[in-house]
Amino acid sequence: MPRADITDLMRLDDLLSDEEKAARDTMARFVDTEVLPIIGQHFREGTFPAHLVPRLAELGVLGANLQGYGCAGMNAVSQGLVLQELERGDSGLRSFASVQGSLCMFPIHSYGSEEQKQRFLPAMARGELIGCFGLTEADFGSNPAGMRTRARRDGDTWVLNGSKAWITNATIADVAVVWAKTDEGGAESVRGFLVEKGMPGFGAREIPGKFSLRASTTGELSFQDVRVPERNVLPGVKGLRGPLSCLNSARMSIAFSVTGAAIACFEGAREYALTRGQFDKPIAAYQLTQEKLADMLQEIVKAQLLSLRLARLKDEGKLTPIMVSLAKRNNVKVALDIARSARSIYGANGVTDAYPPIRHMLNLESVFTYEGTHEVHTLVLGKAITGHDAFG
Ligand SMILES: Cc1cc2nc3c(=O)[nH]c(=O)nc-3n(C[C@H](O)[C@H](O)[C@H](O)COP(=O)(O)OP(=O)(O)OC[C@H]3O[C@@H](n4cnc5c(N)ncnc54)[C@H](O)[C@@H]3O)c2cc1C
């Protein structure tokens, strides 16, 4: 059976429009020709392939599903398919695109003033301005409500103090969407601040020693009496609803895209198993290898069906955070299991970066933790199912 036929065994292509397939196929060609040849080296050296940013912009990936302001205005299915292809290349590169689009451009598009939209969005869609999203702090990850970063009003400026940790794009960003508690108090006290590179008192540094998403930058942000003018405060949202709505948008596309890493692992492992011989037969001819490949394909097909349904619901305006939790929880776990299983098919070769599964496996450990940990999504589902809140 040809490669494409086995990976699309259940003919999911028949459920896609020509436009959706074209968006996916264009990105697939880009990944094959411009990402796969260089990504292993970037992962090994721990460097972000910044030269690809203008190409991602040309392909309409940055803020792909936003309307106007130079954005591509794709539907959720096209966006998901495009990001899935990007993640087939590398989760780090996809993380860059998710942060730029869903976590930075989305809040400016949804909650920004017209002046902020004009100032930031077209340049971000062109990849000329890079964004990052600061919610997590060193002591507050799963529980962002505890954040310590504070904003105090002083005339027509706000004075920001505190720090953020584990921030994708931190050291390469021109603008950081920073969520801080204001002195207004109460449930609505969290506001979004557009902190720009070069503002006095604003710093960013890389977090060393990362074994995951090595082709993506992750750092800390620090704020020491950073004066942010009122024109850089998002006027349209107050409270944790702001950052959580961004996360919901990002999680939806992550649930979709993560299967790209699983497909890369499955296709690579299948090819390797067909050519690698032991005991006078290709290892693909042994039942235990076939079981691994059958499990992988079965889970990929299920994850893709889930993603497609999720994105169609988004396009119909029917998506809820609980649906997103179920899909993110399932698809990331399944992709991680597939990467580990694929790694085992490569034997000793699988522990080197000569082959992609270990890179995907290590990357997916971050995806398992960010955008709501696997456990937190379990609790979201548990609460929806039982009515009991098991968070506290
Ligand atoms: C590579 C990378 C990039 C990231 N990029 C960003 C970014 O751009 N912006 C940003 O704001 N953040 C970012 N994050 C942070 C990410 O969102 C947090 O790591 C995540 O929310 C988890 O927080 P934590 O690491 O503090 O873990 P913790 O919250 O301390 O959790 C540790 C463990 O305890 C479990 N746990 C926590 N609470 C409960 C509970 N109530 N019940 C049961 N188990 C629980 C968790 O599931 C986890 O297993 C990134 C993280 C990584 C690794």
Side-chain angles (χ1 to χ4, degrees):
M1 220 179 221
R3 194 193 91 167
D5 285 357
I6 191 71
T7 306
D8 189 23
L9 183 70
M10 302 300 277
R11 303 188 60 93
L12 298 188
D13 257 28
D14 296 355
L15 304 175
L16 304 176
S17 70
D18 288 344
E19 200 179 331
E20 289 160 353
K21 281 187 273 196
R24 179 198 59 191
D25 295 346
T26 304
M27 180 52 77
R29 281 191 294 278
F30 164 75
V31 168
D32 288 340
T33 56
E34 297 182 52
V35 176
L36 292 179
I38 54 114
I39 200 67
Q41 193 65 21
H42 280 282
F43 187 92
R44 181 181 281 198
E45 291 171 4
T47 51
F48 173 66
H51 69 283
L52 294 179
V53 173
R55 293 287 292 124
L56 291 174
E58 275 168 34
L59 291 162
V61 182
L62 309 179
N65 67 328
L66 301 177
Q67 301 291 335
Y69 305 97
C71 302
M74 292 181 196
N75 69 4
V77 175
S78 292
Q79 184 199 25
L81 290 165
V82 159
L83 290 176
Q84 179 179 281
E85 284 306 318
L86 195 56
E87 189 134 5
R88 188 171 60 79
D90 189 75
S91 306
L93 205 50
R94 197 273 305 139
S95 296
F96 165 81
S98 293
V99 168
Q100 177 84 349
S102 297
L103 295 183
C104 295
M105 295 173 71
F106 171 82
I108 297 172
H109 194 273
S110 301
Y111 309 124
S113 65
E114 190 52 37
E115 186 274 328
Q116 289 167 350
K117 292 180 198 184
Q118 299 287 357
R119 186 154 46 110
F120 292 105
L121 292 178
M124 293 181 89
R126 290 194 300 269
E128 292 163 9
L129 280 185
I130 305 298
C132 70
F133 174 90
L135 177 65
T136 302
E137 299 184 359
D139 293 332
F140 298 94
S142 299
N143 176 25
M147 71 171 73
R148 293 202 187 100
T149 301
R150 290 288 183 275
R152 176 175 53 81
R153 192 189 268 284
D154 182 18
D156 62 355
T157 62
W158 291 80
V159 183
L160 218 59
N161 277 289
S163 61
K164 297 287 173 181
W166 300 108
I167 307 306
T168 304
N169 299 349
T171 52
I172 57 169
D174 301 289
V175 57
V177 178
V178 177
W179 301 94
K181 274 187 187 162
T182 65
D183 44 14
E184 287 166 1
E188 301 253 284
S189 70
V190 173
R191 300 288 304 270
F193 298 84
L194 304 176
V195 182
E196 294 182 69
K197 191 175 177 175
M199 284 182 169
F202 176 38
R205 72 170 194 98
E206 193 67 17
I207 295 176
K210 197 162 51 96
F211 275 66
S212 177
L213 298 184
R214 287 182 54 73
S216 156
T217 70
T218 314
E220 289 174 350
L221 301 176
S222 59
F223 316 96
Q224 275 189 322
D225 291 326
V226 179
R227 299 190 79 85
V228 181
E230 181 69 39
R231 73 193 278 258
N232 276 31
V233 183
L234 294 176
V237 75
K238 285 184 177 179
L240 271 180
R241 188 175 71 80
L244 294 183
S245 67
C246 303
L247 293 173
N248 204 45
S249 153
R251 285 166 185 169
M252 207 273 335
S253 54
I254 287 167
F256 203 129
S257 65
V258 77
T259 308
I263 290 171
C265 291
F266 166 70
E267 291 187 339
R270 174 178 180 251
E271 208 176 291
Y272 185 86
L274 286 167
T275 51
R276 173 77 177 172
Q278 287 295 315
F279 304 102
D280 299 327
K281 269 204 283 188
I283 57 170
Y286 295 111
Q287 289 179 350
L288 292 178
T289 309
Q290 291 186 4
E291 185 184 32
K292 287 179 190 176
L293 292 169
D295 283 344
M296 287 182 204
L297 179 61
Q298 172 185 300
E299 294 307 323
I300 285 170
V301 169
K302 283 153 67 179
Q304 286 186 306
L305 277 167
L306 195 49
S307 297
L308 192 57
R309 179 68 185 138
L310 195 72
R312 291 267 183 251
L313 285 166
K314 167 105 191 290
D315 285 331
E316 290 166 16
K318 296 177 187 163
L319 194 70
T320 68
I322 296 160
M323 296 171 184
V324 175
S325 281
L326 187 143
K328 196 267 183 185
R329 181 175 183 275
N330 180 76
N331 291 5
V332 176
K333 174 72 167 63
V334 156
L336 188 51
D337 289 346
I338 288 171
R340 285 178 181 153
S341 182
R343 208 289 308 148
S344 76
I345 288 179
Y346 284 83
N349 281 327
V351 305
T352 72
D353 63 6
Y355 296 95
I358 198 148
R359 172 168 55 82
H360 286 296
M361 189 184 103
L362 292 169
N363 282 342
L364 290 167
E365 291 291 349
S366 284
V367 185
F368 192 76
T369 286
Y370 73 27
E371 293 291 342
T373 67
H374 184 79
E375 295 79 2
V376 162
H377 288 298
T378 309
L379 299 181
V380 171
L381 288 169
K383 186 178 169 193
I385 296 163
T386 67
H388 289 284
D389 182 339
F391 282 88

